[in-house]
Amino acid sequence: MTSINGGVANHAIPTGEPALVVQDLSKTYRAGEPPVWSNVSFSVPRGQRVAIIGGNGAGKSTLLRCCMRLVEPDAGEVYFGAHKITGLRGRALSRARAQVGFVFQKHNLVHRLSVLTNVLHGGLAQRRSPRLWFQSVAPATDRRKALSCLAQVNLAPLCGRRTDELSGGQSQRVAIARALMQQPTMIFADEPVASLDPQAGEDVMQVFSDLAQAQGLTLVFVTHHLEHALRYADRVLGLQGGRLALDAPTANQSIAGLRGMYA
Amino acid sequence: MRDADDMTLPARFSPPGPVSIVAFLVFLSFFAWSLAAAGISISELVEGLPNMGHIASEMVPPATDRFWPMLSSVLVTFQMALVGTVIGIVLSVPLALLAARNHTPHRLVRSAIRSLVSFIRTVPDLAWALFFVASVGLGPFAGTLTLVMDTIGFCARFFAEAIEEVESGPAEALTALGAPNSAVIACATLPMAMPSLINTSLFALEKAVRSSVVLGLVGAGGIGAELATSMEMFRYDQAATIVLMIFLLVVLVEALSSHARQRLLKNRH
């Protein structure tokens, strides 16, 4: 197993400015308890697809949330491109977050609202207009854009449905469409297929993979499915024992090898 | 594996501790004292039965000589309730957001708003009505102001609890995509809390309709003033008409609110 503790990936990476840089990030939830992880550092080049793996409680979701500042890290820095995220506040933080589409394990859609309205919400950071609150009052251009995002995940015919009438796989695809509405440069996905059946999970991962490839998006996803990590990622990061214990290209990895992260 | 016979099952019931026993005895003593203070008297109840029968017989048949003025007063009563409830609901939403743990700007603001709402709720309707009658004079305006306060005391508290109980995921998703706080509240928190907000609002309307009847007794407008006058003039037949009108109004409002609740909860946006 390639083990690089706290270092930037040493495998061949695309050139140019990285999409995401994490430097010496540490997080402890309660004083006196051991850190979730400490001194985590890595850099993700633009367009790369990265899987984060690790056992329950290893801090995979916390790492993604700290990168978005949904959870405050105790120490360290996060950069989206050249922009330092740690330390930002208010509208500047909102603008930085708008660059990243975040897809959650439980979809986090607003169930009482329609599919189209949920997707429109993806545009709320760029255009802070109340007209994007509900599809019934949204400008025609935004409605068409939202429909186009839904078409990219093959859900345009369901745009008028309430999201609580959708299946888990459809809900997750709506969440992806909402992320696309942001026109992000990067997508973070926190166990996006954990609540889906195997076929729906494959469909959702395929959608991620196709979009990342077609639009040149950087993709960072947390997963327990090691086969997904190998199939849909270029690189795998492994959290274990409060540190970044693995950072390697997936081409060099096998499922048996990655199982070592769960020992 | 150990045999089940060797293992000890937990007790079905835990015996009450000395503190629980003392608390129970204190409660029983206080209740016995309260029975005496409440003036419960079987003999007075028995002696009052013929009077009850007499009044009931005077109520039949209900009078129709003042039917239209009474119907007009019932309408004013409902209008007071409707306007007071709507204004109260509108004012309750921002108060509830400030009082909800997940949206308050500071815990001191939350405590201050919660205390204010508790105070508003604790003061009885009739006390508010007397205060507003003394402030703005007799009539429906005093009643409407009373119902605004009554609605705030009820709705702001339950709205705040509904807002605290909503699933945090959708709000977190909108925060993560960079939406401003106003959008997070309007697009995630309020729609998620909407079933509870609608239920509470419609209960507030039903409650306001019932309360508005009583407010007339202290001069705050509506059908209550007609009821007080009829009882004072021993026109129990007129009083019966008013009671029937109030009953029909309350039944109608409950039926309409039940229908509205179902329709509103089915809507999509």
Side-chain angles (χ1 to χ4, degrees), chain A residues 124-151:
Chain A
L124 281 168
Q126 285 93 349
R127 300 196 40 226
R128 301 166 82 90
S129 163
R131 291 190 68 191
L132 291 192
W133 290 0
F134 302 102
Q135 68 89 16
S136 46
V137 293
T141 48
D142 293 294
R143 297 175 89 236
R144 273 197 292 275
K145 191 173 155 194
L147 190 63
S148 153
C149 293
L150 277 168

mmCIF file of all heavy atoms in Angstrom, chain A residues 124-151:
data_model
loop_
_atom_site.group_PDB
_atom_site.id
_atom_site.type_symbol
_atom_site.label_atom_id
_atom_site.label_comp_id
_atom_site.label_asym_id
_atom_site.label_seq_id
_atom_site.Cartn_x
_atom_site.Cartn_y
_atom_site.Cartn_z
ATOM 1 N N LEU A 124 -28.797 30.263 -5.983
ATOM 2 C CA LEU A 124 -29.000 31.314 -4.980
ATOM 3 C C LEU A 124 -27.725 32.053 -4.585
ATOM 4 O O LEU A 124 -27.791 33.170 -4.093
ATOM 5 C CB LEU A 124 -29.644 30.712 -3.721
ATOM 6 C CG LEU A 124 -31.146 30.473 -3.806
ATOM 7 C CD1 LEU A 124 -31.622 29.623 -2.642
ATOM 8 C CD2 LEU A 124 -31.896 31.795 -3.831
ATOM 9 N N ALA A 125 -26.578 31.426 -4.774
ATOM 10 C CA ALA A 125 -25.342 32.109 -4.388
ATOM 11 C C ALA A 125 -24.963 33.157 -5.425
ATOM 12 O O ALA A 125 -24.573 34.271 -5.085
ATOM 13 C CB ALA A 125 -24.217 31.096 -4.215
ATOM 14 N N GLN A 126 -25.090 32.780 -6.710
ATOM 15 C CA GLN A 126 -24.716 33.736 -7.764
ATOM 16 C C GLN A 126 -25.736 34.862 -7.858
ATOM 17 O O GLN A 126 -25.378 36.012 -8.043
ATOM 18 C CB GLN A 126 -24.626 33.045 -9.133
ATOM 19 C CG GLN A 126 -23.388 32.184 -9.309
ATOM 20 C CD GLN A 126 -23.678 30.750 -8.913
ATOM 21 O OE1 GLN A 126 -24.712 30.446 -8.336
ATOM 22 N NE2 GLN A 126 -22.754 29.855 -9.215
ATOM 23 N N ARG A 127 -27.015 34.516 -7.778
ATOM 24 C CA ARG A 127 -28.073 35.531 -7.892
ATOM 25 C C ARG A 127 -28.890 35.455 -6.623
ATOM 26 O O ARG A 127 -29.634 34.528 -6.421
ATOM 27 C CB ARG A 127 -28.938 35.246 -9.125
ATOM 28 C CG ARG A 127 -28.095 35.269 -10.395
ATOM 29 C CD ARG A 127 -28.925 35.386 -11.626
ATOM 30 N NE ARG A 127 -30.009 36.317 -11.413
ATOM 31 C CZ ARG A 127 -31.266 36.070 -11.774
ATOM 32 N NH1 ARG A 127 -31.561 34.947 -12.352
ATOM 33 N NH2 ARG A 127 -32.213 36.957 -11.556
ATOM 34 N N ARG A 128 -28.731 36.455 -5.781
ATOM 35 C CA ARG A 128 -29.357 36.403 -4.455
ATOM 36 C C ARG A 128 -30.811 36.881 -4.488
ATOM 37 O O ARG A 128 -31.378 37.234 -3.464
ATOM 38 C CB ARG A 128 -28.519 37.227 -3.475
ATOM 39 C CG ARG A 128 -27.090 36.708 -3.379
ATOM 40 C CD ARG A 128 -26.159 37.669 -2.703
ATOM 41 N NE ARG A 128 -26.209 37.612 -1.254
ATOM 42 C CZ ARG A 128 -25.452 36.834 -0.518
ATOM 43 N NH1 ARG A 128 -24.583 36.021 -1.089
ATOM 44 N NH2 ARG A 128 -25.540 36.850 0.803
ATOM 45 N N SER A 129 -31.393 36.873 -5.685
ATOM 46 C CA SER A 129 -32.750 37.394 -5.847
ATOM 47 C C SER A 129 -33.798 36.460 -5.220
ATOM 48 O O SER A 129 -33.754 35.246 -5.420
ATOM 49 C CB SER A 129 -33.041 37.541 -7.335
ATOM 50 O OG SER A 129 -34.431 37.652 -7.542
ATOM 51 N N PRO A 130 -34.767 37.034 -4.483
ATOM 52 C CA PRO A 130 -35.877 36.210 -3.956
ATOM 53 C C PRO A 130 -36.684 35.533 -5.054
ATOM 54 O O PRO A 130 -37.439 34.616 -4.775
ATOM 55 C CB PRO A 130 -36.735 37.225 -3.191
ATOM 56 C CG PRO A 130 -35.827 38.356 -2.892
ATOM 57 C CD PRO A 130 -34.838 38.421 -4.022
ATOM 58 N N ARG A 131 -36.517 35.983 -6.301
ATOM 59 C CA ARG A 131 -37.270 35.327 -7.381
ATOM 60 C C ARG A 131 -36.794 33.898 -7.601
ATOM 61 O O ARG A 131 -37.470 33.112 -8.259
ATOM 62 C CB ARG A 131 -37.151 36.138 -8.677
ATOM 63 C CG ARG A 131 -37.897 37.473 -8.583
ATOM 64 C CD ARG A 131 -37.983 38.141 -9.918
ATOM 65 N NE ARG A 131 -38.852 37.411 -10.838
ATOM 66 C CZ ARG A 131 -38.939 37.674 -12.138
ATOM 67 N NH1 ARG A 131 -38.193 38.644 -12.652
ATOM 68 N NH2 ARG A 131 -39.737 36.990 -12.914
ATOM 69 N N LEU A 132 -35.632 33.542 -7.063
ATOM 70 C CA LEU A 132 -35.181 32.147 -7.197
ATOM 71 C C LEU A 132 -35.677 31.263 -6.052
ATOM 72 O O LEU A 132 -35.365 30.083 -5.993
ATOM 73 C CB LEU A 132 -33.646 32.084 -7.236
ATOM 74 C CG LEU A 132 -32.951 32.642 -8.475
ATOM 75 C CD1 LEU A 132 -31.499 32.253 -8.494
ATOM 76 C CD2 LEU A 132 -33.622 32.144 -9.743
ATOM 77 N N TRP A 133 -36.453 31.856 -5.142
ATOM 78 C CA TRP A 133 -36.919 31.055 -4.008
ATOM 79 C C TRP A 133 -37.918 29.982 -4.446
ATOM 80 O O TRP A 133 -37.942 28.897 -3.915
ATOM 81 C CB TRP A 133 -37.550 31.958 -2.939
ATOM 82 C CG TRP A 133 -36.551 32.826 -2.216
ATOM 83 C CD1 TRP A 133 -35.195 32.877 -2.424
ATOM 84 C CD2 TRP A 133 -36.827 33.792 -1.185
ATOM 85 N NE1 TRP A 133 -34.629 33.802 -1.584
ATOM 86 C CE2 TRP A 133 -35.587 34.375 -0.813
ATOM 87 C CE3 TRP A 133 -37.987 34.208 -0.535
ATOM 88 C CZ2 TRP A 133 -35.485 35.357 0.176
ATOM 89 C CZ3 TRP A 133 -37.889 35.184 0.451
ATOM 90 C CH2 TRP A 133 -36.648 35.745 0.801
ATOM 91 N N PHE A 134 -38.770 30.343 -5.409
ATOM 92 C CA PHE A 134 -39.788 29.392 -5.871
ATOM 93 C C PHE A 134 -39.881 29.443 -7.389
ATOM 94 O O PHE A 134 -39.824 30.539 -7.975
ATOM 95 C CB PHE A 134 -41.154 29.714 -5.251
ATOM 96 C CG PHE A 134 -41.138 29.705 -3.756
ATOM 97 C CD1 PHE A 134 -41.103 30.884 -3.043
ATOM 98 C CD2 PHE A 134 -41.095 28.508 -3.058
ATOM 99 C CE1 PHE A 134 -41.048 30.884 -1.652
ATOM 100 C CE2 PHE A 134 -41.039 28.489 -1.677
ATOM 101 C CZ PHE A 134 -41.015 29.673 -0.967
ATOM 102 N N GLN A 135 -40.064 28.303 -8.012
ATOM 103 C CA GLN A 135 -40.085 28.264 -9.472
ATOM 104 C C GLN A 135 -41.236 29.072 -10.050
ATOM 105 O O GLN A 135 -41.154 29.578 -11.168
ATOM 106 C CB GLN A 135 -40.098 26.810 -9.969
ATOM 107 C CG GLN A 135 -41.342 26.002 -9.689
ATOM 108 C CD GLN A 135 -42.382 26.125 -10.783
ATOM 109 O OE1 GLN A 135 -42.077 26.561 -11.877
ATOM 110 N NE2 GLN A 135 -43.610 25.739 -10.465
ATOM 111 N N SER A 136 -42.320 29.233 -9.268
ATOM 112 C CA SER A 136 -43.491 29.951 -9.778
ATOM 113 C C SER A 136 -43.192 31.425 -10.045
ATOM 114 O O SER A 136 -43.881 32.051 -10.845
ATOM 115 C CB SER A 136 -44.661 29.807 -8.802
ATOM 116 O OG SER A 136 -44.211 30.042 -7.487
ATOM 117 N N VAL A 137 -42.197 31.994 -9.381
ATOM 118 C CA VAL A 137 -41.889 33.416 -9.593
ATOM 119 C C VAL A 137 -40.520 33.608 -10.246
ATOM 120 O O VAL A 137 -40.073 34.735 -10.433
ATOM 121 C CB VAL A 137 -41.944 34.205 -8.252
ATOM 122 C CG1 VAL A 137 -43.346 34.263 -7.712
ATOM 123 C CG2 VAL A 137 -40.979 33.618 -7.227
ATOM 124 N N ALA A 138 -39.850 32.522 -10.592
ATOM 125 C CA ALA A 138 -38.478 32.619 -11.124
ATOM 126 C C ALA A 138 -38.486 33.139 -12.560
ATOM 127 O O ALA A 138 -39.414 32.853 -13.324
ATOM 128 C CB ALA A 138 -37.812 31.257 -11.072
ATOM 129 N N PRO A 139 -37.448 33.888 -12.954
ATOM 130 C CA PRO A 139 -37.352 34.335 -14.350
ATOM 131 C C PRO A 139 -37.262 33.135 -15.294
ATOM 132 O O PRO A 139 -36.722 32.078 -14.922
ATOM 133 C CB PRO A 139 -36.047 35.135 -14.374
ATOM 134 C CG PRO A 139 -35.762 35.488 -12.959
ATOM 135 C CD PRO A 139 -36.343 34.394 -12.125
ATOM 136 N N ALA A 140 -37.772 33.335 -16.514
ATOM 137 C CA ALA A 140 -37.822 32.229 -17.482
ATOM 138 C C ALA A 140 -36.427 31.666 -17.769
ATOM 139 O O ALA A 140 -36.258 30.444 -17.910
ATOM 140 C CB ALA A 140 -38.468 32.717 -18.763
ATOM 141 N N THR A 141 -35.417 32.530 -17.817
ATOM 142 C CA THR A 141 -34.057 32.044 -18.140
ATOM 143 C C THR A 141 -33.563 31.087 -17.058
ATOM 144 O O THR A 141 -32.942 30.062 -17.371
ATOM 145 C CB THR A 141 -33.062 33.221 -18.253
ATOM 146 O OG1 THR A 141 -33.240 34.061 -17.116
ATOM 147 C CG2 THR A 141 -33.269 34.021 -19.517
ATOM 148 N N ASP A 142 -33.855 31.418 -15.800
ATOM 149 C CA ASP A 142 -33.417 30.536 -14.700
ATOM 150 C C ASP A 142 -34.188 29.225 -14.708
ATOM 151 O O ASP A 142 -33.622 28.164 -14.432
ATOM 152 C CB ASP A 142 -33.595 31.251 -13.362
ATOM 153 C CG ASP A 142 -32.666 32.437 -13.233
ATOM 154 O OD1 ASP A 142 -31.448 32.233 -13.179
ATOM 155 O OD2 ASP A 142 -33.154 33.584 -13.236
ATOM 156 N N ARG A 143 -35.475 29.306 -15.035
ATOM 157 C CA ARG A 143 -36.270 28.078 -15.091
ATOM 158 C C ARG A 143 -35.735 27.155 -16.184
ATOM 159 O O ARG A 143 -35.614 25.947 -15.992
ATOM 160 C CB ARG A 143 -37.754 28.389 -15.336
ATOM 161 C CG ARG A 143 -38.382 29.194 -14.213
ATOM 162 C CD ARG A 143 -39.806 29.593 -14.547
ATOM 163 N NE ARG A 143 -40.752 28.573 -14.126
ATOM 164 C CZ ARG A 143 -41.618 27.970 -14.911
ATOM 165 N NH1 ARG A 143 -41.658 28.278 -16.186
ATOM 166 N NH2 ARG A 143 -42.433 27.048 -14.448
ATOM 167 N N ARG A 144 -35.390 27.772 -17.335
ATOM 168 C CA ARG A 144 -34.857 26.951 -18.440
ATOM 169 C C ARG A 144 -33.506 26.345 -18.061
ATOM 170 O O ARG A 144 -33.216 25.196 -18.378
ATOM 171 C CB ARG A 144 -34.729 27.799 -19.714
ATOM 172 C CG ARG A 144 -36.019 27.818 -20.542
ATOM 173 C CD ARG A 144 -35.752 28.303 -21.957
ATOM 174 N NE ARG A 144 -35.382 29.709 -21.960
ATOM 175 C CZ ARG A 144 -36.266 30.703 -21.980
ATOM 176 N NH1 ARG A 144 -37.548 30.440 -22.031
ATOM 177 N NH2 ARG A 144 -35.873 31.948 -21.973
ATOM 178 N N LYS A 145 -32.690 27.147 -17.361
ATOM 179 C CA LYS A 145 -31.370 26.657 -16.945
ATOM 180 C C LYS A 145 -31.524 25.475 -15.973
ATOM 181 O O LYS A 145 -30.821 24.469 -16.074
ATOM 182 C CB LYS A 145 -30.608 27.805 -16.273
ATOM 183 C CG LYS A 145 -29.159 27.539 -16.027
ATOM 184 C CD LYS A 145 -28.496 28.809 -15.520
ATOM 185 C CE LYS A 145 -27.266 28.464 -14.704
ATOM 186 N NZ LYS A 145 -26.790 29.611 -13.932
ATOM 187 N N ALA A 146 -32.475 25.618 -15.045
ATOM 188 C CA ALA A 146 -32.708 24.540 -14.075
ATOM 189 C C ALA A 146 -33.190 23.274 -14.797
ATOM 190 O O ALA A 146 -32.766 22.157 -14.481
ATOM 191 C CB ALA A 146 -33.733 24.982 -13.038
ATOM 192 N N LEU A 147 -34.055 23.476 -15.791
ATOM 193 C CA LEU A 147 -34.560 22.320 -16.549
ATOM 194 C C LEU A 147 -33.416 21.650 -17.311
ATOM 195 O O LEU A 147 -33.344 20.414 -17.385
ATOM 196 C CB LEU A 147 -35.653 22.788 -17.519
ATOM 197 C CG LEU A 147 -36.439 21.681 -18.194
ATOM 198 C CD1 LEU A 147 -37.212 20.866 -17.174
ATOM 199 C CD2 LEU A 147 -37.405 22.264 -19.231
ATOM 200 N N SER A 148 -32.503 22.477 -17.808
ATOM 201 C CA SER A 148 -31.359 21.920 -18.534
ATOM 202 C C SER A 148 -30.473 21.095 -17.589
ATOM 203 O O SER A 148 -29.956 20.032 -17.958
ATOM 204 C CB SER A 148 -30.590 23.075 -19.176
ATOM 205 O OG SER A 148 -29.261 22.752 -19.353
ATOM 206 N N CYS A 149 -30.302 21.568 -16.354
ATOM 207 C CA CYS A 149 -29.521 20.802 -15.364
ATOM 208 C C CYS A 149 -30.205 19.467 -15.070
ATOM 209 O O CYS A 149 -29.546 18.431 -14.924
ATOM 210 C CB CYS A 149 -29.361 21.594 -14.063
ATOM 211 S SG CYS A 149 -28.342 23.052 -14.255
ATOM 212 N N LEU A 150 -31.544 19.510 -14.978
ATOM 213 C CA LEU A 150 -32.287 18.266 -14.739
ATOM 214 C C LEU A 150 -32.134 17.312 -15.927
ATOM 215 O O LEU A 150 -32.050 16.091 -15.755
ATOM 216 C CB LEU A 150 -33.766 18.570 -14.510
ATOM 217 C CG LEU A 150 -34.144 18.983 -13.097
ATOM 218 C CD1 LEU A 150 -35.559 19.528 -13.051
ATOM 219 C CD2 LEU A 150 -34.008 17.796 -12.146
ATOM 220 N N ALA A 151 -32.099 17.885 -17.129
ATOM 221 C CA ALA A 151 -31.950 17.048 -18.325
ATOM 222 C C ALA A 151 -30.601 16.325 -18.296
ATOM 223 O O ALA A 151 -30.482 15.188 -18.756
ATOM 224 C CB ALA A 151 -32.084 17.906 -19.575
#
